[in-house]
Amino acid sequence: MTTEQLDAVIVGAGFAGIGAAIQLKRLGIDDFVILDREDDLGGTWYVNHYPGLAVDVPTTTYSYFFEPNPNWSRLFTPGPEIKQYADDVADKYDVRKHMRFSTTVEGARWDEDANVWRIALAGGETMTARYLITATGFLSQPKVPDIPGIAGFEGKVIHTTEWEDDFDATGRRIAVIGTGATAVQLIPELAKRAADLTVYQRTPIWVVPKVDLRFGERTKRMFARIPLTQRVLRWLTDSIYEVMVSVGVRHYRTFRGRFNISAADLSKLHRFAVIRDPELRRRLTPDYDFGCKRPTFSNGYYRAFTKPNVHLQDAGIDHLDADGIIGKDGTKNAIDTLVLATGFDLWEANFPAIEVIGRDGRDLGKWWRDTRFQAYQGVSMPYFPNYLSLASPYAFLGLNFFNTMEYQMRLMDRLLSEVKRRGATTFEVTEEANAAFLDRMTELLGDSIFTAGNCGSANSYYFNPAGEPTLLRPSSTETAIREASEFPLADYQIA
Ligand code: NAP
């Protein structure tokens, strides 16, 4: 078998991979492929198509800075429109031709003699690339719970990432496990049709009302003809979200959690307005601070529990048998469908999503676990030359993925332009720069809700298995973009 030789390999054809591809092209690098295990592009927005799926940050904010979309139908747009946006951007910037679908990357190893990455694909094929960019997303490895008896359950089992579009909930007895953002969107939809719907809640979630708007044809025409109008709206929604994350998450201690208390009060009011039964309200009330895990927006979630066909089960699951769930309280609930809204394995399966072996045989996953989860500017690790890991610890700015992409694209621009200018072959972040960045992130997190708040019972994926909140980058979008555009080039060894 021959080995294909490329300038760059991007793993993942979601918004991160598409953004990285656009940036490579802008830098004059055209000899690259984007590999994806799915059979289409869009990443999470291709994989997820369960009923009720919609973006949970305003779409005015949810797009590449350089590619506003005047066609969104709502402020909180349904999932299929986001997938369409991914298609449109990939076509407009002509990156689809670089994509290879149904291609699973098993691992990548740095070849120190040849200064290339050797990439192994599932079918036994290999490729070499000068640059490796993993754009594998944060929530891409579905978590299937290891509940005793689940394999012997004879009804239908559906994980929300594998939704069957022709599945009809009408007349079914359904159990949903999980009460995260996905479940909050899905449950009101299932509740409309199911004969019986039991929600298995382990940890209650904060839910606040969703203030949604429809964008009529006139508004869309205005956005298209006068792009400044959409820019202004984006500036507004960006600013509101930025302030919320700053005050409620990053500077929780400084603001003494006041924002979080107000948001929790709003959620309480929402429960009070919708649910008459005080005991049910109590059971749906989280006992950790608002913001410890991603809060959700819904006008239908609490209301669903007031329907006669919907029940909350919070006694825990003991096991499954062939036709039902046995709760820890000994009760049996006969079901024909089990919906797993159990989310994603972020830390174990995703960091990294493929095996990556750098210089001197350093195994990225092992190194992160043996030391601490860390990545300079959310993309680079020492001993991993010519590698950018876009789904890294300290990469995600919180709430809006596109802001993260914006700074990562700027970092690519600065770094790869310099490599080109010097006619160099490799770049690698220095150990000193990486250590200083990690220290700075750790210190900044001291003011955050994760350190100063009451998050112990939240079961939040913002925390790694060692209990450190190493997912979110504790800086504003503006700061991250500035740093990505101005970081000292001496932080990298460019040779
Ligand atoms: P998630 O937030 O991780 O929620 C998973 C749920 O499953 C949690 O309630 C969890 O309980 C429960 N669970 C997992 N394993 C369990 C077990 N063995 N037994 C009982 N319960 C179990 O996952 P998600 O709801 O899919 O959402 C993930 C993220 O995706 C969100 O935070 C959000 O960032 C993103 N999302 C975005 C959108 C959007 O923008 N449109 C929509 C959906 C999701 P514990 O809390 O006790 O672990």
Side-chain angles (χ1 to χ4, degrees):
M1 215 177 281
T2 55
T3 297
E4 197 174 352
Q5 297 178 358
L6 297 144
D7 282 342
V9 165
I10 298 172
V11 185
F15 280 120
I18 293 169
I22 293 170
Q23 192 59 59
L24 285 182
K25 285 175 76 109
R26 285 179 181 160
L27 291 161
I29 299 171
D30 214 48
D31 181 23
F32 67 89
V33 291
I34 309 171
L35 309 176
D36 200 296
R37 64 186 177 191
E38 302 296 333
D39 60 4
D40 196 358
L41 62 82
T44 195
W45 295 105
Y46 173 61
V47 169
N48 285 285
H49 41 88
Y50 56 82
L53 174 67
V55 70
D56 62 2
V57 294
T59 21
T60 42
T61 281
Y62 200 76
S63 56
Y64 296 107
F65 277 40
F66 55 87
E67 194 53 43
N69 176 15
N71 302 319
W72 301 126
S73 66
R74 311 193 66 84
L75 190 58
F76 291 93
T77 292
E81 285 184 40
I82 318 258
K83 160 70 174 119
Q84 184 61 50
Y85 174 70
D87 283 321
D88 293 347
V89 175
D91 289 333
K92 179 168 175 185
Y93 291 85
D94 201 19
V95 296
R96 195 189 283 268
K97 67 178 186 213
H98 295 271
M99 293 178 179
R100 294 195 199 161
F101 298 116
S102 307
T103 304
T104 302
V105 178
E106 300 226 302
R109 176 179 284 274
W110 177 249
D111 180 334
E112 289 180 43
D113 299 324
N115 280 334
V116 291
W117 282 97
R118 295 198 176 278
I119 294 138
L121 308 185
E125 238 180 290
T126 54
M127 311 179 146
T128 68
R130 190 169 162 214
Y131 299 127
L132 172 67
I133 301 172
T134 45
T136 41
F138 299 99
L139 302 164
S140 57
Q141 316 293 338
K143 181 159 74 182
V144 176
D146 190 13
I147 298 169
I150 195 167
F153 176 64
E154 287 174 2
K156 193 173 194 52
V157 181
I158 320 175
H159 192 282
T160 51
T161 54
E162 290 184 344
W163 201 261
E164 295 164 25
D165 292 335
D166 57 0
F167 171 74
D168 184 3
T170 311
R172 286 187 170 264
R173 292 186 60 86
I174 302 176
V176 174
I177 302 182
T179 51
T182 299
V184 166
Q185 294 185 335
L186 177 63
I187 285 166
E189 297 302 315
L190 294 179
K192 287 179 192 162
R193 295 201 168 73
D196 190 273
L197 175 66
T198 304
V199 176
Y200 286 81
Q201 167 187 278
R202 189 164 66 181
T203 309
I205 185 145
W206 287 110
V207 184
V208 288
K210 184 168 174 175
V211 184
D212 200 0
L213 300 173
R214 203 172 70 78
F215 294 136
E217 290 311 311
R218 273 173 51 191
T219 309
K220 290 187 207 173
R221 270 202 303 278
M222 179 180 74
F223 287 158
R225 286 194 194 140
I226 317 168
L228 183 66
T229 53
Q230 203 177 9
R231 288 261 168 227
V232 169
L233 192 56
R234 175 169 191 158
W235 174 83
L236 190 70
T237 49
D238 274 357
S239 304
I240 293 170
Y241 270 70
E242 202 68 37
V243 168
M244 277 173 15
V245 177
S246 170
V247 172
V249 178
R250 291 200 310 273
H251 299 300
Y252 175 94
R253 192 193 295 274
T254 302
F255 290 97
R256 295 200 226 133
R258 285 204 192 92
F259 169 83
N260 310 62
I261 293 166
S262 306
D265 284 347
L266 177 62
S267 180
K268 184 176 175 184
L269 208 62
H270 183 36
R271 276 192 303 283
F272 187 76
V274 173
I275 302 172
R276 295 270 50 91
D277 176 359
E279 178 58 12
L280 181 59
R281 286 203 300 266
R282 186 192 61 74
R283 291 164 65 204
L284 287 166
T285 304
D287 64 355
Y288 54 88
D289 285 344
F290 184 100
C292 288
K293 71 198 295 183
R294 196 176 166 111
T296 61
F297 305 84
S298 172
N299 301 330
Y301 180 69
Y302 287 143
R303 196 173 301 281
F305 290 96
T306 64
K307 295 189 166 206
N309 60 330
V310 180
H311 322 283
L312 179 68
Q313 224 280 15
D314 54 359
I317 299 170
D318 188 72
H319 67 278
L320 272 123
D321 62 18
D323 63 350
I325 302 189
I326 318 297
K328 287 222 165 95
D329 55 4
T331 53
K332 173 163 176 175
N333 175 27
I335 55 163
D336 53 49
T337 307
L338 176 65
V339 174
L340 301 175
T342 42
F344 302 86
D345 187 347
L346 197 123
W347 295 101
E348 288 309 321
N350 208 64
F351 279 143
I354 58 165
E355 184 183 68
V356 184
I357 311 286
R359 206 157 53 73
D360 284 358
R362 180 176 283 186
D363 178 324
L364 181 57
K366 185 171 179 321
W367 179 67
W368 269 338
R369 283 161 184 78
D370 288 350
T371 58
R372 289 171 66 195
F373 284 93
Q374 52 195 293
Y376 171 80
Q377 295 289 343
V379 294
S380 289
M381 288 73 56
Y383 283 70
F384 294 88
N386 290 11
Y387 175 41
L388 297 170
S389 166
L390 305 188
S392 278
Y394 298 120
F396 187 43
L397 285 172
L399 288 174
N400 182 6
F401 184 77
F402 284 96
N403 291 351
T404 302
M405 220 28 239
E406 178 70 20
Y407 87 76
Q408 294 188 331
M409 288 174 74
R410 289 185 193 228
L411 185 137
M412 283 175 69
D413 183 25
R414 179 165 170 81
L415 180 59
L416 299 185
S417 299
E418 184 63 12
V419 172
K420 188 172 171 186
R421 195 185 66 78
R422 293 193 201 173
T425 311
T426 59
F427 67 80
E428 182 182 324
V429 70
T430 65
E431 300 224 55
E432 299 72 34
N434 177 63
F437 186 83
L438 177 60
D439 286 348
R440 186 153 60 87
M441 294 299 107
T442 308
E443 193 187 328
L444 286 172
L445 279 165
D447 201 25
S448 76
I449 185 169
F450 307 122
T451 311
N454 166 28
C455 291
S457 59
N459 257 353
S460 168
Y461 63 73
Y462 292 156
F463 292 81
N464 68 31
E468 275 191 300
T470 48
L471 181 66
L472 295 196
R473 175 174 176 156
S475 63
S476 67
T477 304
E478 197 190 333
T479 304
I481 288 177
R482 185 170 27 78
E483 286 186 18
S485 316
E486 296 174 3
F487 63 86
L489 289 164
D491 283 358
Y492 283 89
Q493 255 181 340
I494 297 175

